[in-house]
Amino acid sequence: MEPLLELRDVTKRFGSKVALRSVSMSVSPGEMVGLVGPNGAGKSTLIRVSLGILTRDSGSVTLMGEDPLVSPRARESVGVVFERPSLPPSMPVISFLRRAARIKGASDEDVKRAVELAGLKGYEDRPFAHLSAGLKQRAAIAHAIIGSPRLIIADEPTSNLDPVERESVLELLVELKKQGASVLLSSHVLSEVLRVVDRIVVLKSGSVAISGGPEEILKGLRRVRVRTPEPEALAKELGSMGLKAATSGPEVIVQLEGNRDADLLDALAKAASKGIKIYGVDMVEPNIEELLR
Amino acid sequence: MSARRALELLYIDMWDALRPPAFDILLLVVGIMAGALSVIIPITSPIGALNPNNAFNPVMIGLAVATIYMALRSAADLVNVIQGGLFQVYMSYPISRLQVALTLYVARVIMPALILLGLPALVIGFMLYPVVLKNPLDFVALWLSYFVQSQMYGVIFLLLSSRFRAQGVAMVASVSFYFAYVALSFFLYLLGLFDDIKTLQQLSNAMGFYTVIYDFLAKVSTPTWEAAVVPAVFIVLLGSYLAYMSRRFEPT
């Protein structure tokens, strides 16, 4: 199947600074791709180059089969959520959405559906400037999903949101994917992307550092944190069972290589039977810095 | 379809560019001032009132107000549109860069000038209709000259605003430019008058398109090149603005 978005060897410079260096990536129909990287890695630049908002110095971009720099039609079935939600400040959101729908070739019925899906119902008559940060983000999402676009590009859609709102935005993206949309989700929070995407592209200093499925990416990064008053003794005990364990203050961090979850449980049970107290066990959320190390 | 999309975008951007209350207050001021002046002028200058060109002078207040409005509000707001991310939203639509640039120009320069210059013209047309109806073409020609002048200022403000990263700086630069332009025109005129240098006086005259048209309508002998200066500068600047926005401009 032809990708909805494809970048080949794209390089973008801002003066002497190289923002993107020979980046190649794609988003296929029905796929949710995570674009991950620390701040300044080039995620937003990649998105803007993909949409034809920024020019590129070399390489090619194909969006819906066309070059977005040459053909604005390429953006016809693309919904975009930008990092900073921005709509006309004084215009009632619903008026703006209706106008935007006409630009996108969608109907008022599509607007109604988008408002409901984005959880904006009851707030749509307010001017954008009068909405809270979370509602602004929802308005931006409603704007992006008008007319059921084939591709949704979301640039840090969960930034500035509280954990509950973050979760609901991610759930909404998953729901849209289920309804047939492809999604390019950019974030600097690896753990939140890992849960929802099919594939991850990790950017570092404008280059693709790592690319693959979440399982593949997570290889060697699955770790468990065990809280105990006797970290030295527990680490020794786990080590004797062939597990990679290291102390970190009042905790023991265990690296889970391969399928050794059962071994860990056995080892913890054995340690407890020897009188080592265990207060709690949880997964350590992987972060980008570790991934890029 | 593409033109219809651009019109929808124009509606959205006009809502932002002409949002109340500043614009509404200015409209009220301009309308009242034009009404007052069209009463005062025939009393203070009865001969002048018989001349449609003089009758039209109150629209000068509209030009000043439209120019200041464009400098302080609609063009300078472009900085916020670009920096705040709204420009990116516009660019994410299936509309060409050229159409987006044109839309911003229409919403932020043509429309405010059309309304702020159009209202005094309507008021004068109503108050002094016997004078205006005598020479309606003169009336229209003079109005257009004020309009073209305002467009030249407006495009300069848009160009300045697209270069600056802060709205305050764009405002100061635009207003400074306007007053420097007016001061330069006055200075050239005085210098030409005192030193009896005709070219300087002509250059000063040429800097105000409406003065050239006024002279032409009043049958004052004027070199043809004077009439070309402001429209030529306007066309070159508009072309530069559209070329810059559609080819080189990259939103941050």
Side-chain angles (χ1 to χ4, degrees):
Chain A
M1 252 189 299
E2 197 181 316
L4 299 181
L5 170 66
E6 187 171 31
L7 287 86
R8 281 190 188 169
D9 286 325
V10 170
T11 295
K12 171 70 189 169
R13 292 185 187 86
F14 291 112
S16 59
K17 191 189 170 229
V18 183
L20 295 176
R21 203 184 302 265
S22 284
V23 171
S24 295
M25 65 160 290
S26 65
V27 181
S28 297
E31 193 180 28
M32 189 186 282
V33 177
L35 183 62
V36 184
N39 288 331
K43 303 186 295 292
S44 296
T45 302
L46 186 146
I47 285 173
R48 290 188 289 168
V49 167
S50 301
L51 290 163
I53 292 173
L54 292 180
T55 56
R56 54 188 184 265
D57 293 297
S58 62
S60 69
V61 175
T62 313
L63 181 65
M64 303 293 166
E66 294 184 86
D67 183 343
L69 271 181
V70 179
S71 171
R73 272 192 326 174
R75 296 187 284 266
E76 236 167 32
S77 197
V78 182
V80 191
V81 183
F82 289 104
E83 187 178 359
R84 273 179 300 175
S86 187
L87 270 59
S90 57
M91 196 172 190
V93 172
I94 191 71
S95 307
F96 171 71
L97 293 179
R98 283 187 185 133
R99 296 285 161 181
R102 284 172 209 167
I103 294 173
K104 294 176 175 195
S107 65
D108 284 357
E109 201 53 43
D110 291 322
V111 173
K112 208 173 146 190
R113 186 175 158 268
V115 165
E116 276 169 14
L117 258 177
L120 197 66
K121 207 162 167 53
Y123 302 98
E124 69 269 37
D125 292 328
R126 296 187 190 177
F128 182 70
H130 294 183
L131 298 178
S132 67
L135 287 171
K136 278 182 179 167
Q137 193 66 282
R138 287 183 178 279
I141 290 170
H143 173 249
I145 64 178
I146 290 172
S148 308
R150 288 172 65 204
L151 173 65
I152 295 165
I153 299 180
D155 189 5
E156 307 260 8
T158 57
S159 61
N160 305 321
L161 296 181
D162 62 42
V164 178
E165 282 172 330
R166 274 171 181 254
E167 200 53 42
S168 81
V169 166
L170 290 174
E171 278 171 14
L172 175 61
L173 290 175
V174 171
E175 177 58 33
L176 291 167
K177 191 205 158 197
K178 278 183 196 159
Q179 291 178 15
S182 301
V183 181
L184 175 62
L185 169 64
S186 147
S187 177
H188 63 272
V189 185
L190 180 63
S191 55
E192 83 178 15
V193 174
L194 278 170
R195 287 189 288 118
V196 292
V197 301
D198 304 309
R199 201 156 54 78
I200 294 177
V201 174
V202 184
L203 281 184
K204 184 187 180 186
S205 307
S207 302
V208 175
I210 307 165
S211 172
E215 287 297 321
E216 200 181 329
I217 296 273
L218 270 179
K219 223 180 215 173
L221 279 181
R222 288 186 63 232
R223 286 167 308 153
V224 170
R225 180 192 296 115
V226 186
R227 273 170 285 132
T228 172
E230 304 154 84
E232 298 292 340
L234 180 63
K236 202 174 163 193
E237 185 62 34
L238 296 176
S240 69
M241 297 274 294
L243 290 161
K244 272 190 182 172
T247 58
S248 170
E251 299 169 345
V252 175
I253 307 293
V254 186
Q255 186 103 25
L256 285 179
E257 287 171 337
N259 195 8
R260 301 205 61 187
D261 300 27
D263 292 348
L264 175 65
L265 287 176
D266 287 348
L268 289 175
K270 200 173 161 194
S273 70
K274 285 183 178 173
I276 299 173
K277 284 180 184 159
I278 293 166
Y279 291 158
V281 179
D282 60 359
M283 293 296 291
V284 178
E285 296 218 324
N287 60 50
I288 295 170
E289 288 71 27
E290 288 170 323
L291 190 65
L292 293 173
R293 209 173 282 155
Chain B
M1 187 63 185
S2 180
R4 213 189 124 190
R5 284 176 169 155
L7 282 175
E8 294 291 352
L9 187 62
L10 175 64
Y11 179 91
I12 292 169
D13 201 53
M14 268 174 57
W15 187 288
D16 189 50
L18 307 180
R19 67 181 180 272
F23 190 72
D24 308 55
I25 293 167
L26 281 181
L27 265 184
L28 199 70
V29 169
V30 168
I32 291 170
M33 290 284 276
L37 286 171
S38 56
V39 171
I40 292 166
I41 284 174
I43 298 166
T44 54
S45 170
I47 301 164
L50 294 175
N51 183 335
N53 306 337
N54 282 357
F56 203 65
N57 266 348
V59 93
M60 193 67 187
I61 187 84
L63 176 64
V65 170
T67 306
I68 298 290
Y69 182 81
M70 285 188 292
L72 291 182
R73 185 68 176 272
S74 71
D77 264 2
L78 186 64
V79 179
N80 284 349
V81 168
I82 294 165
Q83 298 291 324
L86 191 55
F87 190 78
Q88 290 192 131
V89 174
Y90 292 172
M91 296 277 287
S92 72
Y93 292 139
I95 299 176
S96 70
R97 277 172 160 249
L98 181 66
Q99 279 178 315
V100 173
L102 263 174
T103 299
L104 291 171
Y105 166 63
V106 173
R108 288 162 193 276
V109 175
I110 290 190
M111 294 313 287
L114 209 57
I115 298 169
L116 286 168
L117 289 175
L119 183 70
L122 284 175
V123 171
I124 296 161
F126 178 72
M127 302 286 282
L128 298 175
Y129 71 92
V131 182
V132 172
L133 285 180
K134 250 184 179 175
N135 290 295
L137 285 179
D138 288 8
F139 187 83
V140 172
L142 252 180
W143 186 85
L144 279 174
S145 68
Y146 282 104
F147 182 71
V148 170
Q149 187 82 18
S150 73
Q151 295 307 290
M152 184 192 72
Y153 292 138
V155 174
I156 291 168
F157 301 155
L158 277 187
L159 273 169
L160 287 172
S161 298
S162 63
R163 295 294 298 158
F164 290 115
R165 299 279 182 244
Q167 191 183 24
V169 181
M171 281 178 178
V172 171
S174 299
V175 172
S176 304
F177 170 83
Y178 172 59
F179 284 113
Y181 185 90
V182 173
L184 178 68
S185 168
F186 186 61
F187 177 71
L188 287 176
Y189 179 76
L190 284 184
L191 206 65
L193 197 68
F194 292 143
D195 293 347
D196 200 20
I197 306 170
K198 201 117 186 113
T199 314
L200 287 184
Q201 289 179 46
Q202 287 171 342
L203 196 60
S204 162
N205 211 39
M207 288 173 78
F209 189 48
Y210 44 91
T211 54
V212 181
I213 299 299
Y214 181 95
D215 286 350
F216 175 75
L217 296 174
K219 302 202 170 27
V220 175
S221 168
T222 316
T224 321
W225 66 264
E226 276 189 28
V229 172
V230 168
V233 170
F234 162 60
I235 288 166
V236 168
L237 287 172
L238 181 61
S240 308
Y241 161 76
L242 292 176
Y244 173 66
M245 294 299 275
S246 55
R247 287 163 188 262
R248 301 215 34 183
F249 178 73
E250 303 213 304
T252 47

